[in-house]
CSV table of all heavy atoms in Angstrom, one decimal:
chain,number,residue,atom,x,y,z
A,161,LEU,N,114.4,117.9,76.3
A,161,LEU,CA,114.0,116.5,76.2
A,161,LEU,C,113.7,116.2,74.8
A,161,LEU,O,114.0,115.1,74.2
A,161,LEU,CB,112.8,116.2,77.1
A,161,LEU,CG,112.3,114.7,77.0
A,161,LEU,CD1,113.4,113.7,77.4
A,161,LEU,CD2,111.1,114.5,78.0
A,162,TYR,N,112.9,117.1,74.1
A,162,TYR,CA,112.6,116.9,72.7
A,162,TYR,C,113.8,116.6,71.8
A,162,TYR,O,113.8,115.7,71.0
A,162,TYR,CB,111.8,118.1,72.2
A,162,TYR,CG,111.5,118.0,70.7
A,162,TYR,CD1,110.5,117.2,70.2
A,162,TYR,CD2,112.2,118.9,69.8
A,162,TYR,CE1,110.2,117.2,68.9
A,162,TYR,CE2,111.9,118.8,68.5
A,162,TYR,CZ,110.9,118.0,68.0
A,162,TYR,OH,110.6,118.0,66.7
A,163,PHE,N,114.8,117.4,72.0
A,163,PHE,CA,116.0,117.2,71.2
A,163,PHE,C,116.8,116.0,71.5
A,163,PHE,O,117.4,115.4,70.7
A,163,PHE,CB,116.9,118.5,71.3
A,163,PHE,CG,116.3,119.7,70.6
A,163,PHE,CD1,115.9,120.8,71.3
A,163,PHE,CD2,116.0,119.6,69.2
A,163,PHE,CE1,115.3,121.9,70.6
A,163,PHE,CE2,115.5,120.7,68.5
A,163,PHE,CZ,115.1,121.8,69.3
A,164,ARG,N,116.7,115.5,72.8
A,164,ARG,CA,117.3,114.2,73.1
A,164,ARG,C,116.5,113.0,72.5
A,164,ARG,O,117.1,112.0,72.1
A,164,ARG,CB,117.2,114.0,74.7
A,164,ARG,CG,118.3,114.8,75.4
A,164,ARG,CD,119.6,114.1,75.4
A,164,ARG,NE,120.7,114.8,76.1
A,164,ARG,CZ,121.9,114.3,76.3
A,164,ARG,NH1,122.2,113.2,75.8
A,164,ARG,NH2,122.8,115.1,76.9
A,165,LEU,N,115.2,113.2,72.4
A,165,LEU,CA,114.4,112.1,71.9
A,165,LEU,C,114.3,112.1,70.4
A,165,LEU,O,114.2,111.0,69.7
A,165,LEU,CB,112.9,112.2,72.4
A,165,LEU,CG,112.7,112.0,73.9
A,165,LEU,CD1,111.3,112.3,74.3
A,165,LEU,CD2,113.1,110.6,74.4
A,166,ASN,N,114.4,113.2,69.8
A,166,ASN,CA,114.2,113.4,68.3
A,166,ASN,C,115.5,113.4,67.5
A,166,ASN,O,115.6,114.2,66.6
A,166,ASN,CB,113.3,114.6,68.1
A,166,ASN,CG,112.8,114.7,66.6
A,166,ASN,OD1,112.5,113.7,66.1
A,166,ASN,ND2,112.7,115.9,66.1
A,167,VAL,N,116.4,112.5,67.9
A,167,VAL,CA,117.7,112.5,67.1
A,167,VAL,C,117.4,112.0,65.7
A,167,VAL,O,117.8,112.5,64.7
A,167,VAL,CB,118.7,111.6,67.8
A,167,VAL,CG1,120.0,111.4,66.9
A,167,VAL,CG2,119.0,112.1,69.2
A,168,ILE,N,116.5,110.9,65.6
A,168,ILE,CA,116.1,110.4,64.3
A,168,ILE,C,114.6,110.5,64.3
A,168,ILE,O,113.9,109.7,65.0
A,168,ILE,CB,116.6,109.0,64.0
A,168,ILE,CG1,118.1,108.9,64.1
A,168,ILE,CG2,116.1,108.5,62.7
A,168,ILE,CD1,118.6,107.5,64.0
A,169,PRO,N,114.0,111.4,63.4
A,169,PRO,CA,112.5,111.4,63.3
A,169,PRO,C,112.0,110.4,62.3
A,169,PRO,O,112.6,110.2,61.2
A,169,PRO,CB,112.3,112.9,62.9
A,169,PRO,CG,113.5,113.2,62.1
A,169,PRO,CD,114.6,112.4,62.7
A,170,VAL,N,110.9,109.8,62.7
A,170,VAL,CA,110.2,108.8,61.8
A,170,VAL,C,108.7,109.2,61.7
A,170,VAL,O,108.1,109.3,62.8
A,170,VAL,CB,110.3,107.4,62.2
A,170,VAL,CG1,109.5,106.4,61.4
A,170,VAL,CG2,111.8,106.9,62.2
A,171,ARG,N,108.2,109.5,60.6
A,171,ARG,CA,106.8,110.0,60.4
A,171,ARG,C,106.1,108.9,59.7
A,171,ARG,O,106.5,108.4,58.6
A,171,ARG,CB,106.8,111.3,59.6
A,171,ARG,CG,105.4,111.7,59.1
A,171,ARG,CD,104.6,112.2,60.2
A,171,ARG,NE,103.2,112.5,59.8
A,171,ARG,CZ,102.3,112.9,60.7
A,171,ARG,NH1,102.5,113.0,62.0
A,171,ARG,NH2,101.0,113.2,60.2
A,172,ILE,N,104.9,108.5,60.3
A,172,ILE,CA,104.1,107.4,59.6
A,172,ILE,C,102.9,108.2,59.0
A,172,ILE,O,102.2,108.9,59.6
A,172,ILE,CB,103.5,106.4,60.7
A,172,ILE,CG1,104.7,105.8,61.5
A,172,ILE,CG2,102.7,105.3,60.0
A,172,ILE,CD1,104.2,104.9,62.5
A,173,GLU,N,102.7,107.9,57.7
A,173,GLU,CA,101.6,108.5,57.0
A,173,GLU,C,100.3,107.9,57.4
A,173,GLU,O,100.2,106.7,57.7
A,173,GLU,CB,101.8,108.2,55.5
A,173,GLU,CG,102.9,109.0,54.8
A,173,GLU,CD,102.6,110.5,54.8
A,173,GLU,OE1,101.4,110.9,54.6
A,173,GLU,OE2,103.5,111.3,55.0
A,174,PRO,N,99.2,108.6,57.4
A,174,PRO,CA,97.9,108.1,57.8
A,174,PRO,C,97.4,107.1,56.7
A,174,PRO,O,97.9,107.2,55.5
A,174,PRO,CB,97.0,109.3,57.8
A,174,PRO,CG,97.7,110.4,57.0
A,174,PRO,CD,99.1,110.1,57.2
A,175,LEU,N,96.5,106.2,57.0
A,175,LEU,CA,96.1,105.2,56.1
A,175,LEU,C,95.4,105.8,54.8
A,175,LEU,O,95.6,105.2,53.7
A,175,LEU,CB,95.1,104.2,56.7
A,175,LEU,CG,94.6,103.0,56.0
A,175,LEU,CD1,95.8,102.2,55.5
A,175,LEU,CD2,93.7,102.2,56.8
A,176,LYS,N,94.8,106.9,54.9
A,176,LYS,CA,94.1,107.5,53.7
A,176,LYS,C,95.2,107.9,52.7
A,176,LYS,O,94.8,108.1,51.5
A,176,LYS,CB,93.3,108.8,54.1
A,176,LYS,CG,94.2,109.9,54.7
A,176,LYS,CD,93.3,111.1,55.1
A,176,LYS,CE,94.1,112.2,55.7
A,176,LYS,NZ,93.3,113.3,56.2
A,177,ASN,N,96.5,108.1,53.1
A,177,ASN,CA,97.5,108.3,52.1
A,177,ASN,C,98.2,107.1,51.7
A,177,ASN,O,99.2,107.2,50.9
A,177,ASN,CB,98.5,109.3,52.7
A,177,ASN,CG,97.9,110.7,53.0
A,177,ASN,OD1,96.9,111.0,52.5
A,177,ASN,ND2,98.6,111.5,53.8
A,178,ARG,N,97.7,105.9,52.1
A,178,ARG,CA,98.4,104.6,51.8
A,178,ARG,C,97.4,103.7,51.2
A,178,ARG,O,97.3,102.5,51.6
A,178,ARG,CB,99.1,104.0,53.0
A,178,ARG,CG,100.2,104.9,53.6
A,178,ARG,CD,100.9,104.2,54.7
A,178,ARG,NE,100.2,104.2,55.9
A,178,ARG,CZ,99.9,103.2,56.7
A,178,ARG,NH1,100.2,101.9,56.3
A,178,ARG,NH2,99.3,103.3,57.8
A,179,VAL,N,96.6,104.2,50.2
A,179,VAL,CA,95.5,103.3,49.7
A,179,VAL,C,96.0,102.0,49.1
A,179,VAL,O,95.4,101.0,49.2
A,179,VAL,CB,94.7,104.2,48.6
A,179,VAL,CG1,93.7,103.3,47.9
A,179,VAL,CG2,94.1,105.4,49.3
A,180,ALA,N,97.2,102.1,48.6
A,180,ALA,CA,97.8,100.9,48.0
A,180,ALA,C,98.1,99.8,49.0
A,180,ALA,O,98.3,98.6,48.6
A,180,ALA,CB,99.1,101.2,47.2
A,181,ASP,N,98.0,100.1,50.3
A,181,ASP,CA,98.3,99.1,51.3
A,181,ASP,C,97.0,98.4,51.7
A,181,ASP,O,97.0,97.3,52.4
A,181,ASP,CB,98.8,99.8,52.6
A,181,ASP,CG,100.3,100.3,52.4
A,181,ASP,OD1,100.9,99.9,51.4
A,181,ASP,OD2,100.7,101.1,53.2
A,182,LEU,N,95.8,98.9,51.3
A,182,LEU,CA,94.6,98.4,51.8
A,182,LEU,C,94.4,96.9,51.5
A,182,LEU,O,93.9,96.1,52.4
A,182,LEU,CB,93.4,99.2,51.2
A,182,LEU,CG,93.2,100.5,51.9
A,182,LEU,CD1,92.2,101.4,51.1
A,182,LEU,CD2,92.6,100.3,53.4
A,183,ILE,N,94.6,96.5,50.3
A,183,ILE,CA,94.4,95.1,49.9
A,183,ILE,C,95.2,94.1,50.8
A,183,ILE,O,94.7,93.1,51.3
A,183,ILE,CB,94.7,94.8,48.4
A,183,ILE,CG1,93.6,95.6,47.5
A,183,ILE,CG2,94.6,93.4,48.1
A,183,ILE,CD1,93.9,95.5,46.0
A,184,ASP,N,96.5,94.4,50.9
A,184,ASP,CA,97.4,93.6,51.7
A,184,ASP,C,96.9,93.5,53.2
A,184,ASP,O,97.0,92.5,53.8
A,184,ASP,CB,98.8,94.0,51.6
A,184,ASP,CG,99.4,93.7,50.2
A,184,ASP,OD1,98.9,92.8,49.6
A,184,ASP,OD2,100.4,94.4,49.8
A,185,LEU,N,96.6,94.7,53.7
A,185,LEU,CA,96.1,94.8,55.1
A,185,LEU,C,94.8,94.0,55.3
A,185,LEU,O,94.7,93.2,56.3
A,185,LEU,CB,95.9,96.2,55.5
A,185,LEU,CG,97.2,97.0,55.7
A,185,LEU,CD1,96.9,98.5,55.8
A,185,LEU,CD2,97.9,96.6,57.0
Side-chain angles (χ1 to χ4, degrees):
L161 178 59
Y162 174 74
F163 289 115
R164 282 278 181 176
L165 296 174
N166 192 35
V167 177
I168 303 177
V170 174
R171 171 73 184 174
I172 307 177
E173 288 292 322
L175 186 55
K176 66 183 178 183
N177 295 344
R178 297 188 280 127
V179 175
D181 292 343
L182 282 168
I183 293 175
D184 289 335
L185 285 167

